[in-house]
Amino acid sequence: MSAIPLVLDGYLDELPVPGDDGLTARFRVISSPTDDAADETVFACRTADPHLAHALLNLMRPGDLLRVGGHLVLPGPHTETGPRMDVDALELLAPAPARHLAEMVLDRYGPYLVVFNPEVDTVPVFTEAGTWVGTAEHADAITDLIHAHESGSPPPTP
């Protein structure tokens, strides 16, 4: 296999997938040098850096504009896998635009689940195991509520 150094800007295609060890992550980035969809390329990416994996799994969401750096690994003649990018640098260039909700949506913040309801500003937050975390007064307060829960601090006050 050969590896080519590469830095590219692209959009996070879907939620990253954690590796079996919890310290790695796999994800896809869509990059396009033009505004024409025919020029888009989807890069299969992975990172073995635990800090980058944590950021991808807990802070990034589909549609975020990222700059990723690493090595494009091309498959050899006797491998069944396609090309992939081994990422060792990651930068969030722009968060995904806020979606206008028309109906109730369940979303994930790492191991936390939140319920967005377009009819109310408050956002219920609980763990994926079903443990109640609390209610964020608005969407921008979700991460503060999660950090308070993880540190054992009292929930933030509005």
Side-chain angles (χ1 to χ4, degrees), residues 6-8 44-46 68-73 83-87:
L6 181 65
V7 175
L8 62 94
C45 301
R46 73 175 185 183
V68 293
H71 290 86
L72 183 63
V73 179
R84 74 170 186 279
M85 181 152 174
D86 286 337
V87 175

Side-chain angles (χ1 to χ4, degrees), residues 99 104-117 122-128 133-134 136 139 142-143 145-146:
R99 298 176 294 188
M104 192 175 301
V105 174
L106 183 67
D107 203 357
R108 177 179 291 278
Y109 279 63
Y112 295 90
L113 300 175
V114 299
V115 179
F116 291 106
N117 183 343
T122 58
V123 183
V125 180
F126 50 96
T127 68
E128 60 190 356
V133 174
I142 294 169
T143 54
L145 180 64
I146 291 172

Side-chain angles (χ1 to χ4, degrees), residues 24-152:
T24 60
R26 292 179 294 122
F27 59 102
R28 295 187 317 191
V29 172
I30 299 174
S31 181
S32 180
T34 69
D35 290 334
D36 187 350
D39 295 330
E40 290 182 350
T41 302
V42 178
F43 288 87
C45 301
R46 73 175 185 183
T47 184
D49 182 316
H51 299 291
L52 297 182
H54 175 78
L56 282 159
L57 297 169
N58 295 291
L59 304 175
M60 306 295 171
R61 61 186 181 151
D64 284 349
L65 178 59
L66 306 176
R67 176 167 291 145
V68 293
H71 290 86
L72 183 63
V73 179
L74 302 175
H78 303 291
T79 61
E80 294 181 16
T81 61
R84 74 170 186 279
M85 181 152 174
D86 286 337
V87 175
D88 55 24
L90 175 72
E91 179 183 355
L92 176 65
L93 298 177
R99 298 176 294 188
H100 176 70
L101 298 176
E103 57 188 48
M104 192 175 301
V105 174
L106 183 67
D107 203 357
R108 177 179 291 278
Y109 279 63
Y112 295 90
L113 300 175
V114 299
V115 179
F116 291 106
N117 183 343
E119 297 178 10
V120 296
D121 290 334
T122 58
V123 183
V125 180
F126 50 96
T127 68
E128 60 190 356
T131 304
W132 178 250
V133 174
T135 302
E137 291 301 313
H138 46 80
D140 292 336
I142 294 169
T143 54
D144 293 337
L145 180 64
I146 291 172
H147 290 303
H149 176 74
E150 289 178 344
S151 68

Side-chain angles (χ1 to χ4, degrees), residues 12-23:
L12 187 61
D13 183 36
E14 56 191 18
L15 285 173
V17 177
D20 293 336
D21 57 6
L23 301 174

